[in-house]
Amino acid sequence: MRDLLMIPGPVEFEPEVLQALGAPTLGHTDPAFIALFGRALKRMREVCLAPGAQPFVVAGSGTLAMEMAVANLVEPGDRALVVNTGYFSDRMAKILERHGAQVTHVRAAPGDVPSADEVETHLVRGGFKVMTVTHVDTSTAVLTPVEALVRAARKHGVLSVVDGVCATAGESFHQDAWGADVYLTASQKAVGVPPGLALLTVGPRAMEAWRARKTPVASVYSDWAEWLPIMEAYEAGKPAYFATPPVNLVCALEVSLGQILAEGMEARFARHQRMARAFRAAWKALGLRMLPTSDAVAAHTLSAVYYPDGVDAALVGRVKGQGIVVAGGLHPELKARYFRVGHMNRVGPTDVLAAVGAVERALLAAGHRSEPGAAVAAAQASLVAG
């Protein structure tokens, strides 16, 4: 019997997506593949609600998507503001510094987010070229209020780069309407495709800033100049070559994006919110405390939950013994003190109840005192209530 994967990526994938992944591989200049890649690029715009953006689909991880954004927008000496909410904000800062940026952090305590006023105080002082925001930090399950932040960046003439790796297609995001300049993500989370694709939708202001660079992009593989002709050619139905694309992953992406759009973006955002509410009801029934400091800053794509007194990281293994795979902590300061449960992409009520039941049984076996069945009942009540 196969375990149910409930970690914050990779996630469980739809059978049709896996079928596309396992199909015979087409040549990367095959007319059928060119047409399919072109549809995937168009669908990227629709999923990110970014009709005016240029999509990029490149073989690599979410970290490559982060690097592509930075490498193309930042030149040595440029100033960057990092809205820091955890492990992956730190990674973004590291990438910025490697490309020569002077980085200023606006930090919050683990589990919280910097206030919009605090961020704006820095923006008002001027001099920043780029502001980066992690939409959902996978290490802390903190959801950043990106709309207010990217609107503030635009008001002050600063480019906004939003890391949506653990958010895209799961958390509400309207790239064009909110004015986000770059939205980046990876395939293996709410986008619903096995690991291996770095995905970006780049708005007109960011493309203009890139074209106005005074120095070449330091990385050949990350350079939009190498990839833009390829993306434009595929979308126009023409063959082009820079580096061989991961054909089967792109085929799987086209299928998954089609399924996402068939569900509808607002309906999909609402479903993720419903599943998250059910998990929160369960954690409360178990007497557990989430790492995010309030529901307002808690992600809908995953939960980060502190172990109760007397329970340690062995709980993760106990839960796996119940047939559900969850993840341990990741934030360097806290990683031995909490666990994480992913609930994104195809996750529905059955998955929620199975995961909650497994965590509940594992906690009881570890000696945690709670009313047997209370967590499942609380999750079920939340799901019934909608």
Side-chain angles (χ1 to χ4, degrees), residues 6-8 140-141 272-292 294-295 298-308 315-316 319 324-327 338-343 347 351-364 368-371 373-380 382:
M6 295 290 286
I7 63 174
T140 57
H272 279 79
Q273 290 163 12
R274 287 195 303 273
M275 299 309 115
R277 283 196 298 269
F279 273 109
R280 288 173 201 165
W283 309 142
K284 186 175 181 180
L286 287 166
L288 303 181
R289 181 167 65 96
M290 296 198 308
L291 196 155
S294 70
D295 285 355
H300 302 104
T301 51
L302 80 155
S303 296
V305 187
Y306 285 109
Y307 299 117
L315 180 73
V316 172
V319 175
I324 305 291
V325 183
V326 298
Y338 73 103
F339 66 100
R340 294 173 297 148
V341 181
H343 32 89
V347 170
D351 306 303
V352 174
L353 297 176
V356 166
V359 171
E360 186 172 35
R361 292 190 298 274
L363 282 168
L364 288 168
H368 178 61
R369 298 182 65 179
S370 62
E371 180 71 25
V376 173
Q380 181 75 288
S382 177

Side-chain angles (χ1 to χ4, degrees), residues 135-160:
H135 195 175
V136 169
D137 197 293
T138 317
S139 72
T140 57
V142 165
L143 173 68
T144 305
V146 290
E147 181 180 1
L149 298 179
V150 298
R151 288 187 185 278
R154 175 154 292 217
K155 183 173 77 174
H156 294 287
V158 177
L159 296 169
S160 58

Side-chain angles (χ1 to χ4, degrees), residues 77-258:
D78 284 342
R79 294 183 62 205
L81 183 66
V82 173
V83 181
N84 195 313
T85 53
Y87 184 92
F88 289 97
S89 300
D90 287 337
R91 176 169 294 183
M92 184 65 88
K94 180 179 181 179
I95 295 169
L96 284 160
E97 288 170 346
R98 186 67 62 88
H99 285 272
Q102 299 175 24
V103 175
T104 300
H105 292 264
V106 191
R107 296 183 185 273
D112 206 352
V113 301
S115 72
D117 287 346
E118 188 178 359
V119 174
E120 181 132 25
T121 297
H122 283 81
L123 292 171
V124 165
R125 292 172 187 160
F128 293 107
K129 183 177 186 182
V130 172
M131 179 191 75
T132 67
V133 183
T134 310
H135 195 175
V136 169
D137 197 293
T138 317
S139 72
T140 57
V142 165
L143 173 68
T144 305
V146 290
E147 181 180 1
L149 298 179
V150 298
R151 288 187 185 278
R154 175 154 292 217
K155 183 173 77 174
H156 294 287
V158 177
L159 296 169
S160 58
V161 174
V162 181
D163 171 357
V165 169
C166 201
T168 306
E171 299 285 359
S172 182
F173 191 80
H174 298 72
Q175 183 171 350
D176 272 18
W178 295 355
D181 294 301
V182 179
Y183 198 39
L184 65 92
T185 192
S187 54
Q188 74 274 13
K189 298 182 188 280
V191 173
V193 177
L197 291 176
L199 310 169
L200 304 92
T201 42
V202 181
R205 287 202 323 156
M207 294 299 291
E208 183 182 340
W210 163 67
R211 290 189 174 100
R213 294 179 62 94
K214 296 179 176 64
T215 60
V217 173
S219 164
V220 172
Y221 191 73
S222 296
D223 193 348
W224 292 344
E226 303 291 352
W227 291 109
L228 182 60
I230 312 305
M231 301 299 122
E232 290 176 334
Y234 277 124
E235 200 163 355
K238 300 173 184 176
Y241 173 75
F242 166 58
T244 305
V247 171
N248 287 54
L249 278 170
V250 174
C251 294
L253 176 69
E254 190 265 345
V255 171
S256 186
L257 294 177

